[in-house]
Amino acid sequence: MPGRWMWHCCSLFFIIVLAAVGVWTFALGFLLSRVELSDKAVCQNQFAAAGRKGISCYHNLKPIFNRAVIVVVDALKYDFLLTNHSIKAGKGRSYENKLPVVDHLLKHGPENTALFKFIADPPTTTMQRLKGLTTGSLPTFVDVGSNFDAGSIGEDNIIDRIKEMGKNVTFMGDDTWIQLFPKSFSKAFPFPSFDVRDLDTVDRGVTQHLVPEMRKKDWNILVAHFLGVDHCGHRYGRDHPEMARKLKEMNEMVRNVVQNLQDDTVLFLMGDHGMTKSGDHGGDSKDEVEAGLFVYSRKKFIDVNLLPDTVAQVDFVPTFSLLLGHPIPFSNLGRIIPGFFSDATDPSRLETALRVNAQQVWSFIQKYSQEASDFPPASLRHVDTLFHNATSQQLSLVAYQSFFQQTLNVCRTLWARFDTKLIWLGVVFVGASVAISLLVLVFISSFGWTQSFFALVAIAASVVHFFSMFSNSFQVHEDVSVQCILQALIWTHFITTPPRRSRQARGNFLRCLLLSIAVRCMEFYRRCREEQSECQVNEVSVDFDSIPLQSDLYHLRRGLNVIAYLLIGSVSWMSLEKRLNKNGQVHLLVVILFCLYFSGENAFDFHTVFAPRLLYISTVGAVTCLFLSPNISLKPRKSQSNNEHGEVLMNGNVVTNGSSRRTSQPEVNSYSKADFPANFDYALQTFGQVICIVLTLFLCTVTGGTWNVILIGLPVLTKFHFMDSPESSDGVGRLVMWAFMAWHLFFSSGHQTTFTTLHWNSAFVGIGEDSGKHWQLFQKILMGSETFAGQILAAWAVPLMMMWRERGDSYWLQNPEVYSSSLWKNCLSYQLWHTSKLFFVMLNAAVNRRHLMVWKIFAPRFIYEALSFACSSSALLLAFLYSSRAFFVLFQFITDLQVPLVQYPSRRTKDIGDLVKSSRKRR
Amino acid sequence: MKKRLDIEKIAISGGKVLLSSTALLPGLVGYGKLTMDIVQNPQDTTLYLTAAVFLLDLCTFRYLYLDDLQPRKTQALFRTPGWNFPTAALFMLASVLLFFVGIILFGAPILDSSMETLTLAMLLATTAFLPFCYVYAQPVDELLKVLQTEKLDLSMEKAPLFPGMLAVVGAWCGAVVIPLDWDRPWQAWPIPCCYGAFAGYAVGHLLFISASITRSLPRRYSAVRHQQSATSKAE
């Protein structure tokens, strides 16, 4: 048996590894972006060599300011800066009219101040925005993944330029800057940025240092990055009293900064991105992209007539550089804001500035097209012509604007640079994995083409679902389509399962109905993605933290949660009370801790830190113990029952414990649970772990609330004894249904395949305020397990599906070979489903890589699918290992009892109790 | 004499088939015409169509399938007084409710656009369960009996169920186009599902009509022979 088992294990492993290699290769090719040029800006006469006239450099332009203060308020939306006078004081939303100082300055000095919509290039994550704001280049998609451990910037940027000119930069705030520019600041006061729940540490630190540092003379550029507003959005949403408090603090800060501003200093107050209604960001919706930019100086330097309403974030780079007399970074694609450079006394000033800017952009494009071979020559010629038009004529703003705009557009479409060979290689690898597992299933394991009608329907539904991955609409509405298919499969299963007795039919119907209702109700917890226009977020799925204290909804949610704890507690008590062995005790502990966490007022460290940590430890401990000795819960009860001949026999008293209860058994052929000590224990053991893991995973679901745990537990429970029909006990149909369930669990636990809907809160459960760098890996694991809880749970439960009433473990114990191969077959087919889906998602991303929606829908979908694949397959491998080990240990246990294994004539359930009974009878 | 009788019977059954086909035709034509309107006025149109389905059912069952169904079961409103209206009405009401809940379980919004959902539920209930009401005296029992049979084939006992089942499948398939971002007026809920239901229903009936035509001739012939032999034995 072990030899055969080794082969099974290795083949499963090989298929998973093959697909994983494919995904990795594909990701290397697909998420590659653009060539980063490490060139520095220089004022060489390369234009003269090219025969062009009118060479300009930044030297030709006299700087207006010597010093600058850059205040970045994370997630400062444009709307936050506005003051609407029609709203009365104390009225309006929490974020409205909270920065009156901006309005005051705008009114009193229109030539000193300017306010813009500051359009960010998606992805609107802080790291990418900071890169854009310092280099002037467009972001690349792959950077999103490295948001929390990004390396330093390789491209030319304003901070390094300033440092090279011998000037000093003082920095304070978000420590992302330190990651980007590890050695560039002469003075730095970094504060940790990862803890989203912490609204005040960074802001307090920065406020404390800002004004004292401003008064010193040792800096030329001062950068201050506030995080409170962003964290407040993540935690509470946009419209919450906390937001009003944070914005008022910002108002106070801006007032102080303006008061301490010198005449030769310019202030830039900006947001790096906006936020959605729920306070999240990352995507490219209008709310997320529209940040605000406010510029102020005591000098009058602005020509109001030449100010646009909106500027791109890359435009900050050349404007800032030329205002302070620095060279524009080499790879900048932005344009200057003309209103800052027009000078009545020196009319050539604006033209010089534009020319310097345009030449820098042009030389970058020239260099880039030499380095990167795929720059289309037609676009290059077009850009060249526009550049020529702009620079050769008299000053024409329109010509310059069109040059800048066209160049930006060309780069934007181009900088999804794919490595086509790697992409197709990856697709082929995953395809090979699919093909091999299909061939193995069909030819080696004699799975056969003849399947039941239900299996055929399930396979057809899967194929339709896989092909629907080629449509962006179906990717957007995947949650609904998965649910609809799942429901159809449930009811097809019901209709195509022929019941033998009418009682059975009623039971099947009730189970189906229960499962169906649970599947439907779970949808209450889903969240909307921005493309789902008609979708409305249900109130129960709102982040618990973002509900105002003492509101009706708050009390309702709390009440519901309390009922849910009681339900979980009583159900687990009821199921464990009878056999409260070590395993059961651990589970009970887990449940209690879980309840404690959610019932806590978050006032004590015990609830928020100690309980979850203990929970993690006990779960890991329980799982490890179970793996090491799976028969820990084998404690058959001592009970007396009538056998077929009416004799009273001791039943399975392998290990006696104190209780001795008399159970009568009126019907010979129907067994009660009490008669199945080992059988039920074995299943419970695995199931208990599932519950254990569910609770841990959903402990992280700060958003979903406790009811979802119950709803998710329901399918698992009903699945457990889903249909009392031996024909379908190892059917393909069930596995397909279960695979759909995995994705349904993903969507209904409040996830979507976008980065905006990630639950950042889940990374902080049990971490507490003192989160340091050493927790980061753990936090990533927490987030991953929370996001893909459904997939992990479903994969973990695949071996469980073989534990039916009709084929309890006594059937398997008599046919260990069959068990081993069935388990392998089930795991392989389950894996095949997920690999096939992965294959289709990858194929879609490869084929549609120039599609309009690729960065918005297809690429995130691929990343989610790849991560889900990783989580699901590793959970499946673990489950495979665990259940085979548990089975072998159980098998050994039975063999050691020296009970002769009786070959029963039918497949009817016999259990260890029966085996022991019959052995005693023989003696 | 024997031969003439056969020919007569065959001619009569052929006439019946023709008659029911002509009953089916205006139904289909009306469906095609009304679907134009279904976008502007989905609910009324669906109600008209439900009525059309009812008539179509009546015709096909009366003239086509009824003879093929086993005589002991067909105590329907066409023949026997065993049929009672309240049972049938209650059964229909319950089945509309059942479909309403079912559609919501499949993902329809719970409170919003409940009228639309109800219309679809009525349509599906009509196509799926109405035939039971006027074919059998005990619709619920017969329904459960048909549902519990293990095989799905085109035998005449399935005639009341099969087109309705295909209609439900069609409605499910019709829902496929709803999420697509084509922005067409006919993509609104529940129009594609209605289309799908009608299509499935029509396919089901066509299947049964063709099945009954192909089957009716030899079976009738043997039935006549059997009758004759019985009478001759009695003599």
Side-chain angles (χ1 to χ4, degrees):
Chain A
M1 188 153 70
R4 193 94 183 127
W5 182 82
M6 274 309 283
W7 190 80
H8 287 160
C9 189
C10 287
S11 60
L12 194 62
F13 191 70
F14 170 73
I15 277 161
I16 290 175
V17 166
L18 186 63
V21 169
V23 171
W24 188 251
T25 324
F26 184 89
L28 280 183
F30 183 68
L31 299 178
L32 248 189
S33 34
R34 67 187 157 95
V35 179
E36 282 198 351
L37 298 179
S38 53
D39 297 46
K40 305 282 175 202
V42 276
C43 260
Q44 277 174 358
N45 248 358
Q46 50 176 312
F47 301 107
R52 293 185 185 275
K53 295 179 289 180
I55 307 309
S56 309
C57 195
Y58 67 96
H59 300 301
N60 305 4
L61 216 63
K62 207 172 142 268
I64 304 178
F65 300 104
N66 290 328
R67 312 208 294 174
V69 177
I70 302 172
V71 177
V72 182
V73 175
D74 217 291
L76 185 72
K77 213 167 142 6
Y78 176 66
D79 302 0
F80 297 174
L81 290 166
L82 297 178
T83 300
N84 186 348
H85 291 287
S86 61
I87 298 172
K88 285 173 193 157
K91 296 274 171 71
R93 295 172 194 280
S94 303
Y95 57 85
E96 282 174 337
N97 291 1
K98 293 297 179 296
L99 286 164
V101 61
V102 171
D103 189 54
H104 176 82
L105 290 172
L106 270 174
K107 280 217 175 111
H108 287 80
E111 292 186 343
N112 304 35
T113 48
L115 179 63
F116 306 100
K117 270 183 195 162
F118 200 36
I119 306 298
D121 293 297
T124 48
T125 45
T126 299
M127 172 68 95
Q128 274 59 52
R129 291 297 82 236
L130 291 187
K131 280 190 179 175
L133 282 171
T134 48
T135 61
S137 61
L138 296 176
T140 53
F141 190 81
V142 73
D143 288 333
V144 183
S146 57
N147 196 10
F148 289 115
D149 55 346
S152 58
I153 284 186
E155 283 180 308
D156 195 13
N157 59 74
I158 45 176
I159 304 290
D160 289 340
R161 294 273 92 189
I162 296 163
K163 203 189 157 211
E164 271 170 30
M165 294 186 72
K167 294 183 176 177
N168 290 329
V169 186
T170 298
F171 164 75
M172 57 195 72
D174 186 346
D175 60 0
T176 315
W177 285 82
I178 303 293
Q179 289 170 13
L180 285 176
F181 310 102
K183 289 168 192 157
S184 307
F185 302 120
S186 50
K187 229 181 193 182
F189 305 94
F191 298 94
S193 60
F194 194 73
D195 189 356
V196 183
R197 302 193 141 227
D198 178 6
L199 265 55
D200 290 318
T201 309
V202 179
D203 289 8
R204 228 178 272 141
V206 177
T207 318
Q208 195 186 335
H209 287 111
L210 182 55
V211 174
E213 285 298 322
M214 272 183 77
R215 288 188 182 137
K216 289 178 188 164
K217 294 282 175 200
D218 60 348
W219 54 271
N220 297 84
I221 310 294
L222 195 152
V223 180
H225 191 133
F226 290 87
L227 273 179
V229 175
D230 179 55
H231 285 186
C232 180
H234 280 304
R235 188 166 178 192
Y236 297 110
R238 197 160 80 184
D239 192 4
H240 191 276
E242 281 290 302
M243 184 60 86
R245 178 176 74 84
K246 288 315 297 182
L247 286 177
K248 276 177 189 161
E249 276 179 32
M250 289 300 112
N251 187 50
E252 202 52 40
M253 178 273 296
V254 175
R255 194 194 307 280
N256 282 336
V257 169
V258 167
Q259 273 169 9
N260 288 293
L261 215 58
Q262 305 286 318
D263 282 351
D264 66 339
T265 312
V266 61
L267 165 70
F268 291 92
L269 170 70
M270 62 176 86
D272 56 345
H273 49 76
M275 59 168 75
T276 60
K277 225 175 197 172
S278 58
D280 298 314
H281 57 86
D284 62 351
S285 69
K286 192 164 167 287
D287 275 345
E288 290 159 283
V289 165
E290 277 185 1
L293 170 67
F294 174 71
V295 186
Y296 172 77
S297 135
R298 285 179 190 275
K299 256 187 213 169
K300 287 189 197 303
F301 72 107
I302 294 171
D303 183 352
V304 186
N305 300 323
L306 285 175
L307 286 186
D309 290 334
T310 54
V311 297
Q313 291 204 341
V314 283
D315 298 349
F316 167 73
V317 173
T319 311
F320 173 84
S321 299
L322 292 185
L323 275 180
L324 278 98
H326 306 148
I328 304 176
F330 182 76
S331 43
N332 161 59
L333 280 172
R335 64 190 100 153
I336 54 163
I337 300 169
F340 290 0
F341 293 94
S342 92
D343 190 346
T345 56
D346 180 11
S348 68
R349 186 179 161 75
L350 179 60
E351 194 178 351
T352 317
L354 281 169
R355 196 176 282 266
V356 169
N357 191 187
Q359 277 172 355
Q360 171 269 321
V361 171
W362 185 80
S363 70
F364 169 66
I365 294 294
Q366 292 295 319
K367 179 81 183 171
Y368 186 84
S369 62
Q370 285 166 15
E371 295 278 324
S373 51
D374 65 341
F375 204 100
S379 311
L380 190 64
R381 273 198 300 277
H382 182 56
V383 167
D384 215 31
T385 323
L386 285 171
F387 175 69
H388 193 71
N389 282 349
T391 47
S392 59
Q393 289 168 5
Q394 285 294 309
L395 172 63
S396 152
L397 261 181
V398 181
Y400 274 108
Q401 297 290 13
S402 85
F403 164 68
F404 287 126
Q405 193 56 49
Q406 294 288 331
T407 314
L408 201 61
N409 288 349
V410 167
C411 292
R412 209 166 262 160
T413 49
L414 194 83
W415 279 347
R417 228 176 71 83
F418 301 107
D419 193 329
T420 347
K421 274 179 203 155
L422 283 180
I423 288 179
W424 289 113
L425 197 65
V427 171
V428 165
F429 269 125
V430 176
S433 169
V434 170
I436 289 173
S437 33
L438 205 63
L439 287 177
V440 165
L441 275 176
V442 170
F443 288 111
I444 298 183
S445 76
S446 66
F447 224 54
W449 292 105
T450 48
Q451 294 285 342
S452 65
F453 178 68
F454 173 56
L456 292 179
V457 169
I459 290 170
S462 313
V463 170
V464 169
H465 181 61
F466 295 155
F467 275 99
S468 79
M469 287 293 111
F470 284 106
S471 151
N472 56 329
S473 310
F474 280 103
Q475 289 202 358
V476 167
H477 295 279
E478 199 183 344
D479 48 350
V480 186
S481 66
V482 163
Q483 190 203 6
C484 203
I485 292 175
L486 190 55
Q487 295 278 16
L489 288 183
I490 291 170
W491 290 107
T492 316
H493 193 191
F494 171 66
I495 289 173
T496 54
T497 308
R500 279 166 314 190
R501 294 190 295 271
S502 64
R503 233 179 87 208
Q504 225 171 14
R506 204 176 306 141
N508 283 354
F509 177 74
L510 283 178
R511 275 188 209 107
C512 267
L513 191 66
L514 197 65
L515 187 61
S516 181
I517 290 174
V519 163
R520 179 66 177 83
C521 289
M522 273 153 71
E523 205 211 50
F524 293 149
Y525 287 95
R526 82 183 166 127
R527 285 193 172 179
C528 305
R529 53 189 289 168
E530 81 184 71
E531 295 93 347
Q532 295 173 330
S533 50
E534 76 298 328
C535 171
Q536 282 172 340
V537 182
N538 202 296
E539 278 194 335
V540 289
S541 72
V542 176
D543 205 333
F544 196 60
D545 275 336
S546 64
I547 304 169
L549 290 175
Q550 309 308 328
S551 68
D552 284 348
L553 186 60
Y554 181 82
H555 289 302
L556 180 77
R557 283 281 295 272
R558 265 195 87 89
L560 280 175
N561 279 359
V562 167
I563 298 170
Y565 314 138
L566 290 178
L567 262 176
I568 295 176
S570 50
V571 164
S572 48
W573 181 259
M574 264 155 38
S575 61
L576 296 170
E577 178 257 342
K578 284 178 184 164
R579 48 198 89 254
L580 201 60
N581 45 46
K582 278 171 197 148
N583 194 18
Q585 284 158 5
V586 172
H587 292 165
L588 201 64
L589 178 70
V590 165
V591 171
I592 292 170
L593 289 172
F594 176 74
C595 297
L596 259 179
Y597 175 75
F598 272 107
S599 62
E601 288 278 356
N602 290 355
F604 311 109
D605 263 5
F606 178 76
H607 289 122
T608 51
V609 179
F610 184 66
R613 279 184 193 178
L614 199 59
L615 179 65
Y616 298 143
I617 293 166
S618 59
T619 309
V620 170
V623 172
T624 320
C625 282
L626 278 173
F627 194 83
L628 292 177
S629 61
N631 58 351
I632 197 169
S633 63
L634 270 184
K635 200 186 257 185
R637 292 152 46 88
K638 187 173 119 186
S639 68
Q640 291 173 319
S641 61
N642 297 328
N643 74 348
E644 291 164 42
H645 308 289
E647 303 164 37
V648 178
L649 286 169
M650 299 296 281
N651 181 11
N653 51 349
V654 183
V655 187
T656 49
N657 59 4
S659 74
S660 145
R661 218 179 294 172
R662 223 187 149 79
T663 47
S664 64
Q665 197 179 0
E667 282 176 62
V668 176
N669 283 336
S670 77
Y671 298 94
S672 70
K673 272 178 192 166
D675 282 38
F676 291 167
N679 179 6
F680 190 64
D681 258 335
Y682 174 59
L684 181 79
Q685 190 184 358
T686 325
F687 177 62
Q689 278 187 67
V690 172
I691 282 285
C692 211
I693 287 170
V694 173
L695 292 181
T696 323
L697 296 175
F698 279 86
L699 178 67
C700 312
T701 314
V702 193
T703 47
T706 7
W707 277 97
N708 220 2
V709 179
I710 294 177
L711 286 174
I712 285 165
L714 256 180
V716 181
L717 268 174
T718 43
K719 195 77 213 165
F720 187 42
H721 295 301
F722 187 36
M723 289 288 182
D724 280 345
S725 171
E727 282 88 340
S728 50
S729 57
D730 46 9
V732 184
R734 282 162 188 265
L735 281 167
V736 170
M737 207 157 110
W738 201 229
F740 272 109
M741 183 65 88
W743 275 100
H744 184 62
L745 290 176
F746 170 82
F747 288 116
S748 56
S749 52
H751 297 98
Q752 289 284 355
T753 51
T754 57
F755 296 117
T756 326
T757 46
L758 274 175
H759 296 173
W760 296 108
N761 287 350
S762 60
F764 300 98
V765 176
I767 305 294
E769 307 292 318
D770 58 338
S771 65
K773 282 236 166 183
H774 53 286
W775 284 103
Q776 273 198 11
L777 179 68
F778 186 62
Q779 285 178 319
K780 277 177 189 165
I781 293 174
L782 274 186
M783 265 198 78
S785 57
E786 196 267 344
T787 309
F788 298 106
Q791 280 87 338
I792 296 171
L793 176 63
W796 194 257
V798 165
L800 197 73
M801 294 176 63
M802 294 163 65
M803 294 293 126
W804 310 109
R805 271 277 232 352
E806 300 281 325
R807 273 195 185 182
D809 57 4
S810 66
Y811 171 76
W812 300 121
L813 284 171
Q814 289 165 58
N815 305 288
E817 285 287 350
V818 182
Y819 178 82
S820 183
S821 64
S822 293
L823 179 67
W824 173 68
K825 238 188 277 181
N826 275 359
C827 289
L828 204 61
S829 358
Y830 184 78
Q831 185 62 31
L832 174 63
W833 193 92
H834 281 282
T835 321
S836 315
K837 189 168 179 190
L838 176 72
F839 175 70
F840 276 89
V841 168
M842 278 167 63
L843 198 63
N844 169 50
V847 171
N848 284 330
R849 62 185 184 279
R850 295 286 177 200
H851 191 275
L852 184 68
M853 298 288 183
V854 68
W855 299 118
K856 199 169 166 145
I857 297 176
F858 296 149
R861 186 69 193 78
F862 161 69
I863 290 175
Y864 266 89
E865 186 65 48
L867 291 176
S868 147
F869 172 80
C871 292
S872 171
S873 5
S874 39
L876 189 74
L877 262 183
L878 274 179
F880 178 77
L881 289 177
Y882 172 73
S883 52
S884 14
R885 181 174 159 77
F887 180 78
F888 291 146
V889 168
L890 196 69
F891 186 70
Q892 199 60 44
F893 180 76
I894 299 300
T895 324
D896 288 350
L897 281 179
Q898 293 183 330
V899 178
L901 283 175
V902 187
Q903 277 299 321
Y904 286 98
S906 73
R907 281 175 175 178
R908 225 187 57 213
T909 311
K910 296 286 175 188
D911 57 278
I912 293 177
D914 276 354
L915 295 178
V916 176
K917 212 192 291 177
S918 52
S919 79
R920 275 165 191 268
K921 225 162 112 187
R922 280 177 200 194
R923 278 177 211 165
Chain B
M1 179 68 199
K2 212 167 153 190
K3 256 189 179 172
R4 258 185 66 191
L5 188 73
D6 287 352
I7 291 164
E8 198 177 298
K9 286 269 177 188
I10 289 167
I12 289 170
S13 64
K16 281 177 181 176
V17 167
L18 263 176
L19 194 67
S20 48
S21 318
T22 45
L24 192 66
L25 256 174
L28 285 176
V29 171
Y31 164 42
K33 204 165 149 48
L34 281 167
T35 42
M36 297 295 128
D37 202 22
I38 202 170
V39 176
Q40 276 90 41
N41 199 354
Q43 274 156 53
D44 287 352
T45 318
T46 316
L47 286 181
Y48 292 142
L49 286 174
T50 312
V53 165
F54 175 71
L55 283 176
L56 198 65
D57 263 356
L58 226 57
C59 294
T60 45
F61 277 96
R62 176 69 188 87
Y63 293 109
L64 256 182
Y65 307 152
L66 198 61
D67 293 341
D68 286 330
L69 292 166
Q70 286 172 19
R72 62 167 182 85
K73 282 180 187 168
T74 51
Q75 302 161 330
L77 85 152
F78 309 120
R79 279 186 184 169
T80 336
W83 189 77
N84 68 339
F85 179 70
T87 316
L90 255 174
F91 173 68
M92 277 319 287
L93 204 67
S95 58
V96 169
L97 262 177
L98 192 77
F99 271 109
F100 186 71
V101 172
I103 293 166
I104 284 177
L105 279 183
F106 269 67
I110 294 179
L111 294 175
D112 304 336
S113 61
S114 54
M115 273 319 285
E116 282 86 344
T117 311
L118 194 65
T119 332
L120 183 61
M122 278 172 69
L123 177 67
L124 288 180
T126 317
T127 53
F129 292 156
L130 196 63
F132 286 96
C133 284
Y134 50 73
V135 172
Y136 298 120
Q138 300 292 331
V140 185
D141 296 353
E142 294 296 332
L143 174 66
L144 288 180
K145 221 175 270 172
V146 175
L147 277 179
Q148 281 178 23
T149 49
E150 303 205 354
K151 269 190 181 174
L152 268 177
D153 52 8
L154 288 176
S155 69
M156 271 303 148
E157 282 143 56
K158 312 277 186 340
L161 183 75
F162 202 80
M165 242 170 83
L166 279 187
V168 174
V169 172
W172 188 87
C173 294
V176 167
V177 298
I178 294 180
L180 289 171
D181 58 353
W182 298 341
D183 288 328
R184 298 298 148 109
W186 50 262
Q187 276 182 299
W189 169 253
I191 297 168
C193 294
C194 292
Y195 277 113
F198 280 122
Y201 177 76
V203 167
H205 262 305
L206 285 176
L207 275 177
F208 263 94
I209 288 170
S210 51
S212 94
I213 289 170
T214 50
R215 213 172 349 201
S216 67
L217 302 177
R219 184 115 66 85
R220 249 163 242 284
Y221 183 68
S222 68
V224 168
R225 264 217 325 226
H226 184 75
Q227 209 176 16
Q228 277 176 354
S229 66
T231 46
S232 63
K233 262 183 191 173
E235 281 166 2

